Amino acid sequence: MALYSSHAGKPRVKTIRNSIIFIALLLFALATIFPIYFMVISSFADPVEAGAVNYSILPSKFTFASFKYFFDYSEYSYRWILNSLIVATTVMVSNVIFASMAGYAFSKLRFKGRGVLFAVLLVSMMIPYQVTQVPLYILVVNVFNLQNTYSALIMPGIVTVYNIFLAKQFMGSIPNEIMESAKIEGCSQFTIYWRIILPLSKTVLAVMAILTFMDSWNTFFWPLLVTNTMDMQTIQLGLKNFRFANTTFIAPMMAGATISALPMFILFFSLQKYFLEGVTVGAVKG
């Protein structure tokens, strides 16, 4: 059954149908892009008037004064970006490595308790993130005494169950005959994983890298809990320093938000090819 009727022999009905679909998709696209557009346009406004916002769609003038104000506002402005890069990159790399290892073990290795262990991991995905914050905070801060360190920012996200599940499902579709041939050639399990499974899984690894980097880069609540000095804040926490009790420096904040969005855009467009392949893989059987 087709998704919708092709309206063969009815060109007028088909044109109307396509026009409605095009307009609906265009409206959704505009609704998605407009916040980004407003953020970028607002970042080029004059930062002199605190709390002033120009709500016009087209800017009256372009100036980089707000970007300069953002970096001159605090001696730690550059440090905020560096902290975010260190944390997000480390979390991304560790997830790609450890989640792919776990996914390979769950999908290709046979060991006792594999099904039960994987079921426990799936159940843990159903627990809301907010529920685990209090025990996680006690463990990291009170037990391990890691408050205000990179370890406190990185350790809770070093590997996620979602990425393990993603890697396991993808690697499970790789034919076992490839592994059997490699074993006949004398390859060890690690060699099979490193030289065969990983190259064949580059699409899902790219998806994991992009999603993990974005999630870690945009995290606000956890860094707020475990950091207490400005030099250890991430860029997302740094932006809140432009908000005060009576006013908000809108333009410098938007300039910082624009700068914080650049790494995600660069990463996505760098891995766009593999990301789109990962999204569509398995959609067509043949």
Side-chain angles (χ1 to χ4, degrees):
M1 181 178 178
L3 182 61
Y4 53 82
S5 176
S6 61
H7 297 291
K10 300 178 180 179
R12 183 177 180 181
V13 176
K14 185 176 181 180
T15 301
I16 295 175
R17 188 276 314 277
N18 291 342
S19 299
I20 294 175
I21 294 176
F22 174 79
I23 293 173
L25 294 177
L26 181 62
L27 292 176
F28 278 116
L30 291 176
T32 303
I33 296 175
F34 183 77
I36 301 175
Y37 171 80
F38 179 75
M39 175 187 70
V40 176
I41 292 301
S42 299
S43 67
F44 290 103
D46 195 339
V48 175
E49 298 182 9
V53 185
N54 183 10
Y55 292 103
S56 61
I57 297 179
L58 298 177
S60 58
K61 65 176 181 178
F62 281 95
T63 176
F64 289 94
S66 293
F67 291 90
K68 185 177 184 301
Y69 188 95
F70 171 79
F71 287 110
D72 293 342
Y73 175 79
S74 172
E75 60 179 320
Y76 301 113
S77 296
Y78 292 97
R79 183 66 182 268
W80 297 337
I81 300 175
L82 178 63
N83 290 342
S84 291
L85 284 174
I86 292 174
V87 173
T89 303
T90 304
V91 171
M92 177 188 69
V93 173
S94 66
N95 268 270
V96 169
I97 294 175
F98 295 127
S100 62
M101 286 182 175
Y104 171 71
F106 280 118
S107 61
K108 296 302 180 183
L109 303 183
R110 300 292 183 266
F111 54 90
K112 189 175 181 180
R114 183 186 67 161
V116 175
L117 181 58
F118 189 69
V120 171
L121 290 177
L122 293 182
V123 170
S124 67
M125 292 178 62
M126 304 176 188
I127 302 176
Y129 175 76
Q130 293 78 7
V131 174
T132 62
Q133 294 305 288
V134 174
L136 188 60
Y137 176 83
I138 295 174
L139 183 66
V140 171
V141 176
N142 296 345
V143 178
F144 295 129
N145 296 318
L146 296 176
Q147 188 173 19
N148 209 45
T149 62
Y150 286 119
S151 298
L153 294 170
I154 293 172
M155 285 182 60
I158 200 167
V159 65
T160 63
V161 178
Y162 176 76
N163 284 333
I164 295 175
F165 173 77
L166 200 63
K168 188 261 183 186
Q169 293 301 106
F170 184 90
M171 293 179 181
S173 63
I174 298 177
N176 293 328
E177 288 77 7
I178 298 177
M179 293 180 55
E180 298 299 329
S181 300
K183 290 179 181 179
I184 294 175
E185 296 295 330
C187 295
S188 63
Q189 289 290 353
F190 182 78
T191 303
I192 295 174
Y193 159 78
W194 186 258
R195 295 187 176 273
I196 298 176
I197 300 298
L198 282 188
L200 293 176
S201 305
K202 58 185 179 181
T203 53
V204 72
L205 296 181
V207 173
M208 290 165 51
I210 294 174
L211 297 181
T212 303
F213 186 92
M214 292 177 59
D215 181 67
S216 179
W217 182 272
N218 291 323
T219 298
F220 177 85
F221 187 63
W222 179 249
L224 180 65
L225 290 178
V226 298
T227 59
N228 50 27
T229 58
M230 291 186 67
D231 63 305
M232 286 304 299
Q233 290 181 349
T234 60
I235 182 64
Q236 308 302 335
L237 284 182
L239 294 178
K240 75 177 178 61
N241 293 317
F242 293 91
R243 183 180 179 87
F244 302 94
N246 299 322
T247 187
T248 301
F249 291 94
I250 298 295
M253 182 184 291
M254 290 299 178
T258 301
I259 295 173
S260 70
L262 290 178
M264 291 184 291
F265 284 119
I266 294 174
L267 180 66
F268 175 78
F269 287 112
S270 299
L271 302 177
Q272 181 182 20
K273 174 183 175 182
Y274 301 113
F275 180 80
L276 295 178
E277 289 180 1
V279 171
T280 58
V281 66
V284 179
K285 293 182 179 181

